[in-house]
Every structure is written in structure tokens, then in C-alpha cells.
Amino acid sequence: MAELKLKNVEKAYGEVKVLSNINLDIKTGELIVFVGPSGCGKSTLLRMIAGLEKITGGDFSIDGARMNEVPPAQRGIAMVFQSYALYPHMTVRDNMSFALKIAKKSQAEIDAAVAKAAKILQLEPYLDRLPKALSGGQRQRVAIGRSIVRDPKVYLFDEPLSNLDAALRVATRLEIAQLKESMPNSTMIYVTHDQVEAMTLASRIVVLAGGGISQVGTPLELYERPRNEFVAQFIGSPAMNLMAGEVIGTGAQTRVRLANGGEAVSNVPTLAADQGLKVNIGVRPEDLVATSGPAIFTGAVEITEALGEVTLLYFKRAGADAQVVAKLPGIHTDVRHKTVALGADPAKVHLFAQGQSLLYR
Amino acid sequence: MDNIVGKKSGLTWAVHISMAVLVALWLFPTLGLFVSSFRTADQISSSGWWSALSTQERQVPAIRVGGDEVEVDGRFVIEGRLFSATDATLSAWGTTSTAPEANAPGDVVELNDGVTLTVAEDGAYVLSSPVTTEGTRLPRIFSTATTPPEFTLENYRAILFEPSNTDGMSRAFFNTLTVTIPATIIPILVAAFAAYALAWMDFPGRALLIAAIVGLLVVPLQLALIPLLKLHNDIGIGKGYLGTWLAHTGFGLPLAIYLLRNYMVGLPRDIIECAKVDGASDFQIFTRIILPLSFPALASFAIFQFLWTWNDLLVSLVFLIDSTGQTTVMTKQIVELLGTRGGNWEILATAAFISIAVPLLVFFAMQKYLVRGLLAGSVK
């Protein structure tokens, strides 16, 4: 049961501000995921919430109580580190009971908490082993178990899956999702750079970039209605195609003439004053389809990547735009070097002016 | 292209060869001392320690026939033995120094005036004379005997357990222990706390303190001896164990802090932060996390400090040993022995081996802690 409030939080190392203007309300029971490119400050923000980094500006509160100067142990948080940070000289049992012993809980209470956590995480056979005798996935579960036994108000996960191999990562991701289901009242904050983890786990995603929050929203909101070009390209794989153009028709639907000679129609409404506005249209690779009508893009396929379920088509670059990528369901090996005309459903065409989506003005 | 699989570079060979040389340099003198300390003075002077393990043939010093004369069948007979050791075997004997190996065992040799002499293989001799030999000069027997390996604990008994022996090492041995053990433990205790603070606690001036400690590493010990002794005398400690412990602690601390701090700073930050989130105070982090994890570093410094204080002569001479000689240490005692018993190699070898036995023991007992990594499994 915890509500977290960040108000104008900032972090500066000397003169250099790495995070500023962070405003975020997190409600009880939410699983918030921080995503962003390397160096965007997502781990720093998590460590500020944990109390491991000083908050150099703004206010941070849990359940209304200001936490800026409260030491980590008294914030009611538990953290799972990327490197697991297990105490190597202690058995799994001792690792899990360390915090409770520090808190001077009774032995019976400790035993009960450890037994319960071990049961949830299927760690019972390993309780008397040292961490070095465990596999990566088991170590990760111990690290999670160590936070469960403390029954914290807020769980913090710092890239907990990045050290696991691909198969184990999927399995552990599901376990974390189930864990969250079983503890509907606990608030979790999860840092990752893996957008699949973000999309599957989050109740809301916070995209961090350039020292601030780019957008906060549910996974589908971010996918369907990105606020700016950065979020549009960061969420989804391969990244959204951006093509430069100029508005030539306004209203409930907008028509754009593209620099590459194509023409696009978008359901994003525009005002009459927008006539002639320089915009970028954005179309996700999976929304591009072959068309016989007016095409957004016409080009020759340069490279194909058949992944089985889908085939990625990389087109020859035209003009100043980045390379256009299309994603077709099924296997298409015969389209290489062919010229294809591509169109898209107007509902799937995004419009950005100066990097910001026209949906949100 | 030197590191292609299956090819050994010249450097590897150089490393292997120098390792072998180092091992030999260390092993042979130690083994020699060890073997020599179990041999008698005679054995040491007649052959090297490397031949002590095999049966050896050597000339026995000349022995003059002697004993009670018995009259048997009209002849006067003297019987006796050349050596008491029953397992020595005579290989040759003679009666003159010019031909000490002239006769084989069992030969009956006629000396002058009908006197005969025979020496058996086991060293028993029979001198037989037609007239009484009383008042005459009896012959000498030169012999060459092979003796099997023989070792004795007599040297150790004389040096360690002989209360009347003023050159004994037992008092010095315990004095050295009295100096060494506290002089190892005190600096480790102090340095571990200091190292944790310098590695993981944030306080102003930390970097300056570390720099000062690195600076102290290069201060020569000799520089401080006399001022420190004066200080000890002024504050009333004088010469004694307390002053020696303090001096060893002081001289050992910079290295101890430096070593331990460098080790602790290399411990994963995540573990310490995790303990902080778990609610541990700095003291709890230190005692429950850092100390157990730093055990290899603590052990390696303990070995260094122990060896250095054990082998120390200078600090003990200045701060401990007074004119009564009651507080002498082993290094000092060996120096004394070199003066008073310089020719007695068996005594010197034994004393030297006693003084290196404990460091050897410590090293072999602790070396696994030097090698073992405690960190395996904590972080990926």
C-alpha cells in the first residue's frame, strides 16, 4: 500500500543536470516500468527513489511523507539489483533473513517469512546452499525472495533480467508477472531497456530520454498514440518509419505530400492554419501494406530478413529520409529487388511537427 | 601471432624456468637446514646433508686397543669393540696411518713378536700375544666403516629442553611469540576499520587521508627508531613488550590500511548498497559483510605482518631487549649463538630451523586463504 509522488525532482552532479523536471504519481498496486536508452538516467531515478542517490532538487514522497532525506532502510522499499548482489558468504536462507535479523525480528517470524517466500519462488530445496552453487535464474529468484520477506511497500527492480539468457528471461518475466498478480497491493517500479519486458509487465510505462520524462502511459497508449518522435521510434521493433513531408490538406483527415514523392492520408485532425506545415509522418513497419492506389512510398526492396512469422523488407533509401522498413506477415523470399508501392490505413499514420505529435497539441 | 592456440611463447618458458629456479633457491637451503638439524657434529663435519639419507662409508678415527688382559691357553688375549653402534659394518682396517685400509675384516695380522690382531666385520677385535702386553704400548686400529643413515633429536633436546643450557632457544622462542602475535593482531584490527571507512564511507578529506597513508608507506623505519624510543621513555613505557607492539603496529599500519582499503574498495558496490537498503548500519555492514568477504586480504596481510615481525631484529633490539637479556628474541639469540657457538653447526642449524619452522607452518596453513576467492557467486 503505497503511493509515490515525485514533484519536480532533479538530479545534478555538480553543474551537470542529468535529470530534471521529473513529475510522476504512482498509485498503489501499479507496476511502473522505466524505459529509455542507455544513459538516460532511468537507473539513477530508481536509485534516487531507493535512497542510494541524493535527490538534488524537488520533492519525493511515499504516502504523503517526504522521503528526500530518509535513509533507504526507513523508506519501506526493497530493491532487486541487476547483479543480484547476494551476500556470497551466506546461505540462501541467511541471505533472505538478513534484513529481518537486522530489524531484530523474532526467529519464528523470520522462519515463517523465509519459508513463505521460498515456497512462492520454489527455492525450498536450495535454502542451505551458498549463492555460488546456484544457477543464474535461481540467484535471481533469491534476490527477489530477499525483497519479498521484508514485505515492503515498494519493490524496486533494477534491470533484474539482463543477466539471464533469452529462454530464462522469458520464464522469469512470467514469474514476475505472476508474482505481481499474487500481490495486488504492492507497488513495483521496474527499470529495463528491453521494450518487450516493458510492454508485457507494465501497467504504465515511463519513457525517459534526454534527462526528462518523454511520455507516461499504458503500453498500448505508448504504442498507438506516441507523444513524440522519440517515443514513437523507441517503442516497437523495428522502429517506426519517419518520412518528411508537407501538409496539403487539412480537416478531420490530413493529407501530406511527402518529399519522396508519395502522398499520405492521416486520421490526425489538423487546422486550416496548418496548411503547408512541414511535418514528418510516422508509419510502423507492420502497418505498411502493398497498395495499388496512391502510395506513401514506392521503392525497390534491398534486403529481406525472413523471421518465419514475419518478413522484414528493407527498401533502398530515397532522399534525406532514413531507410524504410516494412514488416509483412508470412514468408516472402521472392520480393528482393522488386519495386513495391506501399500504403497504410489512415488511422495508423502519425503526424509529427518539430518532433511532437500533432495529436497532443 | 604469439598467442595462437597450441604454441607456447618464450615468455611462458621464461616464467616456468624462473619459477623452477625460485623453488630450488628456496627449497634446498630449507631442506639442508632441516636435515642438518637432525645430525651430530661428527656427521656434519664428515659429509654433506645430501648424503645423510644414504648409507655411507667413512674412516673412523684411530682407536688404540685397550681392555683387560685375559690368559687363554698360554696366550694373553685382549678383546674389545671398535664402535658401539651394532649396525655399522667394517669394510677395511689397518694398523698404520700410512695404510689404514690394508686388511679386510677377519684377516689375522701378525704384528711383531708373535702378537696377532684380528678385527671382525662387526668391529670386534682380538689381540693375542705370547707374553703379557702389560706395560707395552698397544697398537692403534684404523678402520673404515659403512654406517646406515642415523638421525638424532639430541640437538633439539639440547636447544629447547635443556634448562641448564644458557644458549637455549626456548625462552627466546616464547618471547618472539609474545612479540609477534599481538603485533599481528593489533594492526589488523585497527587497519580493517580504517580501510572500511576509507573505502566506503563518505567524509570530507578522505582522498587526502588516503594520499597521506600512501605517503607514509615510503617513510623508512630507521628514521623513526630513535625519536620513538625517546617518546616511549618520556611517556614511561620504556623498553618492553608494549613499546614493541606499538612500534610494530605503527610501522605495519600504512601497508595494512593500504592493502585492505584497496581490497575492500573492489568489493561489489551492489552488495553494500543492498545491505544499506536491508537496513544495516555502517558497523553492521562492516562486521557482517565486509569482514567475512575481506578474509583473504586479512589473511594475506596477517601472513606478511607475522613474518616481518617474526624475523625482525632491529625493532626488538631498539624497543625490547635490555641488558638483563630476559626479553631476548630468537633473531637476537641466533646472532649470539653465531658468536659463542660459531663452530657448532648442528646447534646453529637447529636454532635456525626452529626459527623458520613457525613461519613455514603459518604459511602452509594459511596459503589456501590467499588463493581462494570468496566472491564466487555473489554477482554475475
Side-chain angles (χ1 to χ4, degrees), chain A residues 47 50 52 72-73 77-79 81-90 95 98-99 101-102 104 131-132 139 146 150 163, chain B residues 268-281 284-285 288-290 292-293 372-380:
Chain A
R47 291 165 57 82
L52 296 170
I77 49 141
M79 185 156 170
F81 288 82
Q82 181 177 4
S83 63
Y84 319 147
L86 302 181
Y87 309 126
H89 56 298
M90 298 184 192
N95 260 289
F98 182 77
K101 277 184 191 156
I102 295 283
K104 298 209 162 43
K132 67 180 170 201
R139 286 179 201 172
R146 209 162 51 171
R150 295 181 49 204
N163 283 335
Chain B
R269 170 178 286 273
D270 281 359
I271 291 185
I272 288 142
E273 287 183 340
C274 187
K276 271 187 192 157
V277 173
D278 275 349
S281 65
Q284 283 167 323
I285 293 175
R288 303 235 189 145
I289 312 278
I290 299 286
L293 291 184
R372 186 170 74 185
L374 256 179
L375 282 181
S378 72
V379 291
K380 174 98 177 186

Side-chain angles (χ1 to χ4, degrees), chain B residues 229 239 312-322 329 332:
Chain B
L229 183 61
K239 279 195 165 195
D312 162 74
L313 176 62
L314 186 58
V315 171
S316 294
L317 270 181
V318 174
F319 293 102
L320 181 62
I321 299 167
D322 52 24
V329 292
K332 171 72 175 154

